[in-house]
Amino acid sequence: MIKLQMYVNGQWVDAKSGKTREIVNPANGEVIALAAEGDVEDAREAISAARDAFESGVWSEIPAAQRAACLFAIADKLEQNAEEIARLETLDNGKPLRETAADVADAAACFRYYAGMVTKPDGQTYHVADPMQALVVREPVGVCGLIVPWNYPLLMAVWKIAPALAAGNTIVFKPSEVTPVTAGKLFEIIEEAGVPKGVANMVMGAGLTVGNELAESHEVDMISFTGGTVTGRSIMKAAAGNIKKISLELGGKSPNIVFADADFETAVDYALFAIFANQGQVCSAGSRLLLEESIHDRFVERLVERAGKIRVGPGLEPSTEMGPLVSEAHMEKVLRYIELGKQEGARLVCGGRRITANGLEKGYFVEPTIFVDTTPEMRVVQEEIFGPVLVVQKFKDEAEAVRLANDTAYGLAGGVFTNDGAKALRVIKKLRAGITWINTYHPTYNEAPWGGYKQSGIGRNLGTFGFDEFTEVKQININLQVEPIGWFEG
Ligand code: NDP
């Protein structure tokens, strides 16, 4: 049994209340870890440690190269422990090993990307009226509260921790209460890499207590959150008290548009990947497949044939292509959406049930599921299901494809498959979404900004944009001729 403690002010500690939470392997329902269950008091202590560390300059004022060296060391240690971390992530989250192995590699690359940025030139100078010289510098925001969900426990943590630390901030990080295991490992590595005490803190516990305290506290200068839109809205409200800087990466219901002139097999292949990777628990999942009328039936037939062959099983088995959903509660939610889809009149052409055969009865497995004959107002078309459930929509022409694609409250991602380059770009330019793909779906890079339009969020993770979020901008005006201004005569 793994025992998970919190990391506060350089110490590994239990919750002040002594409470713990059982962490469950979603492939078989077994308890794999006992995690300290922090609450508001624990959060306050961590915030106070982060505040003191920030004010002392122990991190922001050390040479940039020294800060970079710590981040490079974290990347190295993540790689050295990659196999163990990937295994732990699969045990805790359920996704197949090939996905968690990729997540750990991406996490190390993310630390390395931001480590490199620390020592690069930044700021600007302006030629303004003589004898003045104006310059602009970037400075850390201060204490940052970082809150992440359970779908990419390690990677979402790193997307926030790496740029926040690179920019010189101090942090209080809260993992999802469902998946805290690899965060524990990451903070062991952060400690070993020599990050000074108080700079990086981790508090486990519920969103409504620990998360809300991070969002509300006047000692926290910024909140960076990834998760559901409903939670994002409540964080925005809680953060208003001290006008915190906020960055929100929320949900999506992203369209994957396939025109009749697309490469057929490539489009089928990516349509499967777009929705069934990570069991559909991906904010940018291609959860709405928009098919041009003339290929609709043939495409659906091929899609169903291939979806039925996806090997569903425990993530630790090397042959597994799709694992369990993250928790029993989440599985129940996904199954309720499937029932809703049927009640709304959508036609189920694939899957739709929990899988209990072949020794999977204790896990939270759901069949790859596909609905056709949908209409735009159905809730299964409008709402984020966050599971292996695809809804298919039919369109007649380019204009209708764009209209349907943009017809939800979300605006996170979208893809287009066509062999007409001009049409691809025309459609992409009309998509109200922050992350888009042409003739592919899902690839993402540390270099490029990640985030959404509309109710999919505010701000961007990753790239230089993601770094800038964790900085304040200061203008400095320097008088090069030091003499009185003489504005007042007396
Ligand atoms: P939540 O938005 O509820 O949780 C994400 C994180 O926020 C967790 O760490 C959670 O804590 C914390 N949190 C919850 N409530 C608050 C609060 N009031 N103040 C501060 N922090 C809070 O997502 P869930 O994990 O419950 O999933 C719900 C839905 O969100 C999913 O079905 C999906 O639609 C969407 N989602 C979107 C993701 C994305 O990447 N865009 C990722 C995951 C989910 P706790 O530990 O208590 O859960």
Side-chain angles (χ1 to χ4, degrees), residues 205-219:
L208 285 175
T209 53
V210 172
N212 187 61
E213 179 62 22
L214 290 176
E216 260 186 358
S217 169
H218 288 212
E219 293 298 315

Side-chain angles (χ1 to χ4, degrees), residues 29 60 73 75 91 106 119 156 179 181 204 222 250 257 299 334 342 352 377 384 391 396 429 434 455 458 485:
S60 59
L91 263 181
D106 282 353
T119 52
M156 289 302 101
T179 54
V181 174
M204 294 178 287
M222 171 174 175
L250 308 175
I257 307 167
F299 201 98
V334 170
K342 292 189 222 164
E377 67 284 354
E384 185 179 44
V391 295
K396 285 193 185 63
K429 286 187 75 174
Q455 292 187 34
I458 296 175
I485 188 172

Side-chain angles (χ1 to χ4, degrees), residues 115-293:
M117 200 173 281
V118 176
T119 52
K120 300 303 174 287
D122 71 351
Q124 297 173 349
T125 63
Y126 303 122
H127 298 287
V128 290
D130 271 351
M132 299 297 292
Q133 172 74 56
L135 41 120
V136 166
V137 294
R138 286 196 175 272
E139 296 182 344
V141 181
V143 176
C144 299
L146 313 176
I147 303 177
V148 302
W150 41 257
N151 60 336
Y152 289 85
L154 176 75
L155 196 58
M156 289 302 101
V158 169
W159 279 16
K160 296 186 187 306
I161 293 172
L165 291 181
N169 299 285
T170 61
I171 61 165
V172 180
F173 168 77
K174 189 196 101 59
S176 160
E177 58 191 341
V178 186
T179 54
V181 174
T182 48
K185 194 73 203 163
L186 175 62
F187 274 78
E188 281 175 23
I189 285 174
I190 286 174
E191 181 183 36
E192 284 170 23
V195 174
K197 81 180 174 75
V199 170
N201 305 275
M202 175 186 57
V203 181
M204 294 178 287
L208 285 175
T209 53
V210 172
N212 187 61
E213 179 62 22
L214 290 176
E216 260 186 358
S217 169
H218 288 212
E219 293 298 315
V220 175
D221 303 294
M222 171 174 175
I223 198 94
S224 178
F225 167 79
T226 297
T229 296
V230 172
T231 313
R233 198 171 285 124
S234 94
I235 284 180
M236 246 178 131
K237 285 185 191 149
N242 67 332
I243 318 289
K244 260 182 208 67
K245 219 175 162 186
I246 50 173
S247 168
L248 305 174
E249 203 268 277
L250 308 175
K253 190 77 182 179
S254 300
N256 180 19
I257 307 167
V258 182
F259 285 96
D261 62 2
D263 185 294
F264 187 84
E265 286 300 330
T266 302
V268 170
D269 202 47
Y270 273 105
L272 292 169
F273 185 52
I275 182 62
F276 298 128
N278 197 10
Q279 298 76 244
Q281 302 166 140
V282 184
C283 54
S284 55
S287 49
R288 289 186 297 138
L289 177 64
L290 275 58
L291 294 177
E292 192 162 358
E293 213 168 36

